[in-house]
Amino acid sequence: MTGRSEPPDGAPENPAGGEDEYRSLVFDESFVQAARMQEYSAQERMGEHARAVRALPDAQAIRSGGGSRAAIALVVLIALTFAVAVYIGFRSPYPQPAIRRAEPLRTTVVPLAPRGAVPGGSPEWLYRAEPVSGFRTGADGINVPTVRRTQNFSDSQITAALATVKDYLVESSLNPDVLTGSVRRPVEHLLDPDQRAQFERSLSSPADDGGHAATGWLVRFDPEQVELADPQIRVEGTLGYEEEAPGVLGVVSDHTFTYALRPADKPHRDDGASLFTVRRELRFRFDREDLRLHRLEVVTAHVQAGPQSCSADATGMLRPLLAGERADARGPAATDPYATGRPTAALCGTLEAVSSATAPTTSPGSPPQGPGAADRPSRPRP
């Protein structure tokens, strides 16, 4: 019978599954220490190849001045760029607009003398007379014409110019605080800055020299002598415009303002009022900067105001003759053509005759009377 038998050479020294099966693979300590493995770094594995990324300078290099040189180079580059931009700006091929300065205002103020006594009455009765009865009240009498664009100004720009002129007329002719001389700022802030020094001098030191009459800029009464008997001032007139030059717009206003006045020391007397009429023909000028900043340049002012005496000095304030008063017999101030210095404008007109039997009719000027009399200016067409 067969069974388990031994191999021909005998049983193995270490049978399968025995502890000494891998005895030949066991390494002693000296072998392990001698066979210790070492992993190369990335730089060592690259060998002699060139570096793909430049190494950053260390802190010591930066502290030694490398960073400062880079910063200086950057500042120099920015400065050169700015200089080139400025040079190109100055050498621009497009023409720059010329700077235009406002001209001084030229004024003419003409007193209008009545032929007889100034009629009086209540403001309501006086305002029922012709032609004042057809006048409108306050700013409603300053009408803006139909606007059509010009070659270089749009509809909106012309409308802005007319609106500025209307604001000037309202502030300088209808504002009660301006009429009494208590304020001037509402008028001054509408003027071109080049004219404000002349305006200030005209109000502080008025002179009949054709350029420094305060009443050329605005309507002003002496509050110690007269006051408004009716705050509803009557107004009638026209506005017109034209393009004077490329970039320059001209506006002409011709308005008659009628005030009901009474003595300042008799404020409660209803029948002691009288009419005072001021006709103002003004020429204005605008450039595009004026339109943008809501301001204007007053070029000329021709003013006729009465009833006043021809001898009255109306350069600083208007000197109304009130109800029952008459003009003095003196004519306009004498003018000496041989005198040195600034010439004076000795002008006077005659107020149209007023009938005391009916409500008075006032008109700001009749045909010239005598030497130095004023010619009535024609109304501008819109």
Side-chain angles (χ1 to χ4, degrees):
M1 179 175 72
T2 62
R4 184 174 181 182
S5 61
E6 298 294 334
D9 295 331
E13 184 178 2
N14 294 317
E19 295 180 359
D20 295 331
E21 181 178 1
Y22 298 102
R23 181 178 297 273
S24 61
L25 300 178
V26 175
F27 308 111
D28 57 14
E29 183 178 355
S30 61
F31 178 84
V32 173
Q33 292 179 354
R36 180 175 298 173
M37 299 181 65
Q38 180 179 1
E39 184 179 358
Y40 290 102
S41 65
Q43 184 174 359
E44 291 172 336
R45 289 196 299 269
M46 290 175 60
E48 298 299 327
H49 296 287
R51 295 179 180 179
V53 180
R54 184 178 59 186
L56 295 175
D58 55 12
Q60 183 65 27
I62 294 177
R63 287 193 295 269
S64 65
S68 300
R69 288 192 296 270
I72 293 174
L74 181 60
V75 171
V76 171
L77 179 61
I78 293 174
L80 289 175
T81 304
F82 180 76
V84 171
V86 172
Y87 176 78
I88 294 176
F90 280 117
R91 294 295 300 272
S92 174
Y94 300 102
Q96 299 297 323
I99 298 176
R100 190 186 64 84
R101 297 189 61 85
E103 300 177 2
L105 170 65
R106 301 185 301 276
T107 62
T108 304
V109 181
V110 182
L112 301 177
R115 296 179 185 273
V118 177
S122 66
E124 295 79 8
W125 183 74
L126 294 171
Y127 279 144
R128 286 199 297 266
E130 291 291 342
V132 186
S133 62
F135 286 13
R136 296 189 178 184
T137 302
D140 293 338
I142 306 175
N143 299 316
V144 177
T146 302
V147 173
R148 295 183 179 87
R149 64 166 299 141
T150 63
Q151 183 176 357
N152 295 288
F153 289 94
S154 64
D155 295 353
S156 61
Q157 289 175 321
I158 297 174
T159 300
L162 295 174
T164 305
V165 169
K166 182 172 181 177
D167 289 343
Y168 182 86
L169 294 175
V170 169
E171 296 295 347
S172 63
S173 308
L174 303 177
N175 187 331
D177 294 330
V178 174
L179 295 178
T180 58
S182 59
V183 298
R184 62 180 70 178
R185 181 60 182 169
V187 177
E188 184 179 11
H189 88 280
L190 292 170
L191 295 174
D192 189 290
D194 294 338
Q195 290 190 318
R196 291 177 184 175
Q198 183 189 9
F199 174 81
E200 290 290 341
R201 180 182 169 186
S202 299
L203 269 63
S204 60
S205 302
D208 186 17
D209 58 3
H212 295 93
T215 47
W217 298 95
L218 46 80
V219 177
R220 188 164 69 163
F221 303 105
D222 186 352
E224 296 183 358
Q225 299 295 324
V226 299
E227 67 177 16
L228 288 173
D230 186 348
Q232 303 299 319
I233 302 166
R234 302 305 194 264
V235 185
E236 179 72 7
T238 60
L239 277 175
Y241 64 90
E242 65 176 353
E243 183 174 335
E244 297 181 354
V248 179
L249 182 68
V251 177
V252 178
S253 70
D254 185 6
H255 289 81
T256 300
F257 301 87
T258 302
Y259 306 84
L261 304 177
R262 63 187 172 198
D265 57 350
K266 299 177 181 179
H268 302 294
R269 190 177 163 185
D270 295 335
D271 61 347
S274 60
L275 295 184
F276 188 83
T277 302
V278 180
R279 181 172 178 178
R280 306 181 71 197
E281 182 184 9
L282 308 175
R283 302 186 70 88
F284 304 93
R285 187 171 292 157
F286 295 86
D287 56 25
R288 299 187 187 279
E289 189 73 2
D290 294 331
L291 295 174
R292 185 178 67 85
L293 298 176
H294 191 67
R295 69 190 189 192
L296 49 77
E297 171 189 348
V298 191
V299 182
T300 61
H302 187 92
V303 180
Q304 301 178 32
Q308 296 184 97
S309 295
C310 287
S311 59
D313 181 9
T315 56
M317 291 184 179
L318 299 174
R319 312 288 180 180
L321 295 172
L322 302 177
E325 296 181 340
R326 295 174 178 269
D328 57 38
R330 290 178 295 171
T335 300
D336 183 3
Y338 300 100
T340 59
R342 286 182 174 271
T344 58
L347 300 175
C348 187
T350 301
L351 195 66
E352 184 176 316
V354 176
S355 172
S356 59
T358 60
T361 301
T362 57
S363 176
S366 62
Q369 300 290 327
D375 292 329
R376 181 176 180 179
S378 59
R379 291 184 180 273
R381 296 182 179 180

